[in-house]
Amino acid sequence: RGHRFVFLSDVRGAAEPTRLASRTIQALAEGPGLDAVMVEVGNEQQPYLDVYFNTEPENASVLLSQPRTVPETGAANREFIELYHQIWILNQKLGADRRIRVIAGDLEGWPDEEAVSPAERARRFGERGPAMVKNLDTEVLLTTPRARVLVFMTGLQSLRSGYGQLQTGGTATVAAHWFASVLNDRKPGDVFSVIVDAGTGSGVREFVDYRGTRLGEVVETMPAGSY
């Protein structure tokens, strides 16, 4: 209720964060209201998301024919398609004036389909945070300046401060400024982040992995009954 931009972090390969996102979206949409949901999908996929959410009756073949509209694989892939389905159903109930727009918020073409050098991939990884802020402006805030947005992306992009440093094979260091951090600098007080811990699925690898926090390790060292 008190923040226009709420980040809910995903853990790639885990199904439960997506279920949590689905419940959160419904609660916000039926409560204080929600204008848009941003997901970790390359911005070039936006036309396909728009087509899917405007189909009536629902036609999931749009998503199935464009696998890059879903940033997951395996069981988590099915959960993400179910998340889209739940938003589609919500939009039918909410009506045109309150419908939620789903935004493909990531850097265009990410992740790279073609093989590129580690240095080039590191450079593009570093461009993602600023690109996400630009996509938020273009796809949402340009037409709805006071929009309320839920961002559902992996944990690194949900961090409100700090940045990452990437270096490969003697090349110059690349600074990766996280989406939430860049947005928080621009709109202080409007950004709130919820960092989720969850076990990951097998075989899921990102260029830079987010595997949750160390909170579980800390809790294990605490005396029984102190938490």
Side-chain angles (χ1 to χ4, degrees), residues 27-219:
L28 291 173
E30 295 177 347
L34 183 64
D35 297 293
V37 174
M38 289 191 73
V39 293
E40 205 166 2
V41 171
N43 189 246
E44 80 284 353
Q45 300 298 312
Q46 188 64 55
Y48 303 112
L49 291 180
D50 288 342
V51 167
Y52 166 72
F53 284 103
N54 286 319
T55 58
E56 193 172 341
E58 182 183 16
N59 183 4
S61 66
V62 178
L63 303 176
L64 299 176
S65 65
Q66 299 292 331
R68 287 172 67 85
T69 58
V70 181
E72 289 282 9
T73 58
N77 178 286
R78 293 190 292 273
E79 290 292 342
F80 218 96
I81 291 177
E82 180 63 20
L83 173 71
Y84 287 156
H85 169 65
Q86 291 298 327
I87 296 174
W88 188 92
I89 291 176
L90 270 173
N91 282 344
Q92 302 306 302
K93 297 177 180 178
L94 294 171
D97 60 328
R98 294 186 62 195
R99 66 183 289 116
I100 300 165
R101 185 154 185 243
V102 177
I103 305 300
D106 212 334
L107 177 69
E108 186 169 332
W110 184 270
D112 299 295
E113 288 190 282
E114 300 179 359
V116 297
S117 69
E120 173 64 11
R121 200 165 188 205
R123 181 190 67 79
R124 282 180 45 77
F125 185 91
E127 295 175 347
R128 293 175 68 203
M132 291 170 181
V133 173
K134 180 180 177 182
N135 292 334
L136 173 64
D137 284 338
T138 302
E139 302 289 351
V140 181
L141 301 183
L142 188 64
T143 56
T144 314
R146 298 298 300 172
R148 294 156 296 185
V149 183
L150 177 76
V151 181
F152 183 51
M153 295 184 178
T154 48
L156 293 175
Q157 299 300 340
S158 302
L159 300 177
R160 284 191 300 165
S161 62
Y163 62 94
Q165 289 186 320
L166 291 77
Q167 188 170 29
T168 59
T171 60
T173 299
V174 173
H177 295 273
W178 317 125
F179 180 17
S181 176
V182 178
L183 186 60
N184 192 51
D185 287 343
R186 284 186 47 184
K187 300 181 181 294
D190 277 342
V191 179
F192 188 85
S193 293
V194 180
I195 305 300
V196 176
D197 274 310
T200 58
S202 60
V204 179
R205 298 294 299 175
E206 295 292 307
F207 182 60
V208 178
D209 285 320
Y210 170 74
R211 297 292 182 181
T213 73
R214 296 184 60 196
L215 181 59
E217 300 173 23
V218 173
V219 170

